Amino acid sequence: VRAPVCGLAAMKVTLRFEEAEDTERHMTLRLTLPKKYQSGPTKDVVKLFVDHYNKKHTENPLDASSLHLKVVGGNHLDLDAKLEDFVAAGDECYLLGGDFTPSSAPAKRPAAVASAAPPTPKPATDAAKAGKVRCKRFGCNKYFDPQGEPQECVHHKAPPIFHETAKWWSCCPDRKAYDWEEFMRIPGCQKSTCSATPEGQEGKRFLGGHDLRGDNAPVRLDADAPKDPRHKLDELRRGVIAVGVDGALFEKVWGKLAAEMDGDIEKVCGVFQARFSHL
């Protein structure tokens, strides 16, 4: 969805709302904000988004006073904070609800795109050199001595999900984060002892958007029915990865196309088909 706003000295930003469980109620707006919004409070931008959203979702309207902006890779913003003190051109923000601690210090940053994949592992630490190993339970990552006393471990039961810029643990779907540090602060839901070979974790170490589509795709009972578009995307994803395309990049591209086409996955498949047909 695109909703351009004209003006001088404009700032381009992307706003996303994904709080609703029903993906049909999600929305992405790419806005060009004039100077009055840049120098004004963030609540004006929230209201701008909500007014546009409510015109389309009249049956499930949003309350602007209950939402705030969260910069991807940055701060939760108070409704009275000046937008230009915290948001740079090209930034991406989520509209979130619930209580939060707003940032008190301006932190304008160069625009950056947050990666959905985990960061590159750091070199071995002194703990590793001392004979300790890293716990492999989901979300722990502490070092422990496998020959020593059992070390208490607070961890997650199931692997994390990285979908576009959102990150959450599949066992704790109500706690989503939009940057890596915030994601790693989500507390574990299980207690046991650290282990380098935990049982039940032989599968994937993290899940992505294609896993979500596979879990939620409807099952066809008629064998001759057209292939579900989600399955088409899964097959295309495997193909482009096989020729060297980054899987996270593919997730980002198809996610943007889906937002522009109001969630119609069949139309997204049609776009890919048309692009390859004209090569």
Side-chain angles (χ1 to χ4, degrees), residues 132-148:
K132 294 185 177 182
V133 297
R134 191 185 293 275
C135 177
K136 295 296 183 65
R137 296 193 188 278
F138 293 124
C140 178
N141 291 323
K142 291 181 180 178
Y143 280 94
F144 72 102
D145 183 356
Q147 306 301 324

Side-chain angles (χ1 to χ4, degrees), residues 38 75 81-87 105-109:
Q38 298 176 45
N75 304 305
K82 185 185 293 187
L83 186 79
E84 64 184 359
D85 286 343
F86 295 90
V87 179
K108 188 183 293 185
R109 306 161 292 104

Side-chain angles (χ1 to χ4, degrees), residues 25-77:
R25 293 172 55 193
H26 293 180
M27 178 177 282
T28 298
L29 290 180
R30 294 171 180 85
L31 301 174
T32 302
L33 300 175
K35 183 64 178 177
K36 70 173 184 177
Y37 283 101
Q38 298 176 45
S39 59
T42 64
K43 62 185 177 184
D44 290 350
V45 177
V46 172
K47 185 178 185 302
L48 179 67
F49 180 96
V50 169
D51 287 346
H52 188 88
Y53 182 97
N54 288 348
K55 289 178 181 178
K56 183 175 180 180
H57 299 276
T58 55
E59 71 288 356
N60 294 295
L62 298 178
D63 177 9
S65 64
S66 66
L67 298 171
H68 68 277
L69 296 180
K70 164 69 173 71
V71 183
V72 172
N75 304 305
H76 291 268
L77 306 185

